[in-house]
Amino acid sequence: MFFLKLMTLIKKEVFMSPSTITLLFLLFAVVMFVFEKIPLGLTSMIVCCGLVVTGVLDIQEAFTGFIDSNVILFVAMFIVGGALFETGMANKIGGVVTKFAKSERMLIVTIMVIVGFMSGVLSNTGTAAVLIPVVIGIAAKSGYKRSRLLMPLVFAAAMGGNLSLIGAPGNLIAQSALKNINLSFGFFEYAIVGLPILIAGIIFYATIGFKILPNKEAPADDDSVFDQQQDFSNVPKWKQILSLVILVLTLLGMIFEEQTGIKLCIAGCLGALALIVTGVISEKEALKAIDLKTIFLFGGTLSLAAALEKTGAGELIADKVIGALGSHPSPYILTFVVFILCCVMTNFMSNTATTALMVPICLSIAQGMGADPRAVLMACVIGGSCAYATPIGMPANTMVVGAGGYTFMDYAKSGFPMIIIATVISMIILPIAFPFYP
């Protein structure tokens, strides 16, 4: 119904300025992302095509996001990470390390450390998906309740996404926006804020937070596929080893981008190609590993960012926000407001969508006050990853609802304190690490 009303308005575009049309599409995107009546990628593509139909952008401007270097990097790393999962190497790594935990607290710490660092260089959803069956198996053998272990696992996956440039799609969205104004984040620069949050999260759930983790019996009628661990015994050992070696070499190539002169996306492509050429994974498996939903969401939403910039709609929003904050807004207050807003939004919609929507707006606001936008964009990305308070905050949260027997309030009780911790840490570190007026 909302979409029909929007299109009725858009048909009258002769009476509207391009900025007004862009703002209507922004409103449509926000509403649809929040309620998710249609898939996120579809919403993104409706916006992309709608901006062309209404004449706000031409075809090249609207679809240029799909040939963005970050999209190429996404595709490459989906394949590289997918090989680790397909060969069972990720499963083996998780299983070998977690078996050394001797108590429930030690197990929680071990799980969070492994998941946190794995999701820093791989898909956080993929990392969680691989380790969920491992953790459920450990819970069954040890007698610990799975509800006590699964929630720290998915929370660590979200925290770990902020350890590197490729940890989460939102990180690259902010990077792409910064490159347009000749700025950038280093490969591990997100870890300046992300690592302290991960460490604090591990300590919290091993101490005070340990008492508020859900303590529930496994559902009696649970027939979750997570109890069915995939058999990797028929996978040749050389494939497992080579998938890990190629991943490490690919990451090293990205880390030393400046020294080698090889761009991140090219390093990723070389790693993906090496996996297919050597036969570690087949072409079919490589294509299967690519998450097209993320590609469509990312590429399509970049058209909205382009329209906000081209039409001045982003600047208009920035002016309104700055006006609401006063004639001389404090960058500290702005950073706090952005962080909290992203925290709220990301718990009810995709963190990638939250970041994609907020980055161009935050960039305009920061530029409007003459401040270095990196602190504000970092707040946007970190806040957008704080999807701890609802079961729909991120895919990994949803994946364990049934297996853990969780309710909505279980997430709220266990996750909300972590949002407060992340907020405090971010507000202390951001102004120091990223001065507003260097």
Side-chain angles (χ1 to χ4, degrees):
M1 182 62 69
F2 177 83
F3 178 62
L4 291 175
K5 290 181 179 179
L6 177 65
M7 292 309 296
T8 300
L9 288 171
I10 292 176
K11 287 179 181 178
K12 303 176 182 178
E13 72 267 17
V14 292
F15 302 108
M16 295 183 189
S17 66
S19 61
T20 302
I21 297 173
T22 300
L23 290 174
L24 284 172
F25 274 114
L26 174 62
L27 177 61
F28 167 74
V30 170
V31 172
M32 297 310 293
F33 281 152
V34 169
F35 293 102
E36 213 166 329
K37 295 296 184 182
I38 58 177
L40 298 177
L42 182 57
T43 295
S44 184
M45 291 309 300
I46 288 173
V47 171
C48 181
C49 293
L51 289 168
V52 176
V53 171
T54 54
V56 175
L57 298 176
D58 60 34
I59 294 178
Q60 184 173 354
E61 290 171 328
F63 288 90
T64 190
F66 290 96
I67 57 171
D68 187 272
S69 62
N70 289 321
V71 170
I72 299 171
L73 179 59
F74 275 162
V75 172
M77 291 311 296
F78 278 137
I79 295 173
V80 174
L84 211 65
F85 301 138
E86 287 289 338
T87 61
M89 193 62 192
N91 194 300
K92 180 177 290 187
I93 294 170
V96 169
V97 180
T98 53
K99 72 179 182 181
F100 292 104
K102 302 298 182 183
S103 68
E104 190 176 28
R105 288 180 192 266
M106 284 181 62
L107 187 54
I108 288 174
V109 170
T110 304
I111 289 170
M112 293 190 74
V113 169
I114 294 169
V115 175
F117 284 98
M118 283 181 67
S119 64
V121 293
L122 299 170
S123 159
N124 47 23
T125 302
T127 299
V130 166
L131 292 183
I132 284 170
V134 175
V135 171
I136 289 178
I138 292 172
K141 293 175 183 177
S142 65
Y144 301 133
K145 292 181 179 178
R146 64 172 70 169
S147 64
R148 306 274 297 165
L149 306 179
L150 292 175
M151 197 165 281
L153 184 156
V154 296
F155 288 171
M159 298 176 206
N162 294 319
L163 295 184
S164 75
L165 183 62
I166 60 171
N171 301 9
L172 288 169
I173 291 173
Q175 179 80 334
S176 181
L178 282 176
K179 282 188 175 180
N180 292 332
I181 56 174
N182 298 318
L183 293 174
S184 66
F185 288 124
F187 190 83
F188 286 118
E189 203 160 3
Y190 285 100
I192 294 174
V193 182
L195 184 59
I197 290 176
L198 176 60
I199 293 172
I202 293 171
I203 294 173
F204 174 71
Y205 287 111
T207 54
I208 300 173
F210 183 79
K211 300 177 181 179
I212 61 175
L213 287 172
N215 187 19
K216 299 190 172 188
E217 298 294 337
D221 60 345
D222 180 40
D223 57 354
S224 171
V225 294
F226 295 130
D227 286 329
Q228 307 291 326
Q229 289 200 43
Q230 188 175 347
D231 181 16
F232 295 105
S233 60
N234 61 337
V235 178
K237 190 172 182 179
W238 69 266
K239 285 190 175 184
Q240 296 182 334
I241 295 174
L242 192 54
S243 68
L244 181 60
V245 170
I246 291 176
L247 171 64
V248 172
L249 291 176
T250 301
L251 294 177
L252 287 174
M254 293 178 177
I255 294 170
F256 296 104
E257 176 190 11
E258 293 185 6
Q259 289 79 1
T260 62
I262 300 175
K263 297 294 183 183
L264 294 179
C265 60
I266 301 301
C269 287
L270 291 174
L273 290 171
L275 287 165
I276 300 172
V277 170
T278 56
V280 174
I281 57 173
S282 65
E283 180 185 10
K284 183 177 180 180
E285 289 171 331
L287 293 173
K288 181 183 175 182
I290 300 171
D291 186 352
L292 290 178
K293 292 180 292 184
T294 299
I295 300 302
F296 280 119
L297 176 61
F298 183 79
T301 309
L302 284 180
S303 66
L304 183 59
L308 285 168
E309 180 179 354
K310 179 182 178 181
T311 64
E315 187 177 352
L316 179 64
I317 295 173
D319 290 341
K320 294 294 183 181
V321 174
I322 292 175
L325 294 176
S327 56
H328 298 288
S330 165
Y332 297 96
I333 294 177
L334 170 64
T335 303
F336 176 74
V337 170
V338 166
F339 191 93
I340 295 300
L341 181 59
C342 288
C343 281
V344 172
M345 291 173 65
T346 196
N347 276 284
F348 294 95
M349 56 190 277
S350 160
N351 49 15
T352 305
T354 296
T355 309
L357 284 171
M358 290 297 295
V359 160
I361 298 172
C362 294
L363 183 61
S364 295
I365 294 172
Q367 288 181 307
M369 63 175 60
D372 185 337
R374 297 199 304 158
V376 182
L377 291 192
M378 183 68 77
C380 178
V381 171
I382 302 295
S385 69
C386 292
Y388 313 125
T390 70
I392 58 172
M394 62 178 178
N397 286 15
T398 309
M399 289 165 65
V400 297
V401 171
Y406 298 132
T407 64
F408 185 95
M409 288 308 298
D410 288 330
Y411 287 88
K413 290 177 182 177
S414 299
F416 184 70
M418 192 61 228
I419 293 178
I420 296 176
I421 292 171
T423 302
V424 172
I425 291 174
S426 298
M427 292 306 103
I428 293 174
I429 295 177
L430 285 174
I432 298 173
F434 305 96
F436 296 106
Y437 301 105

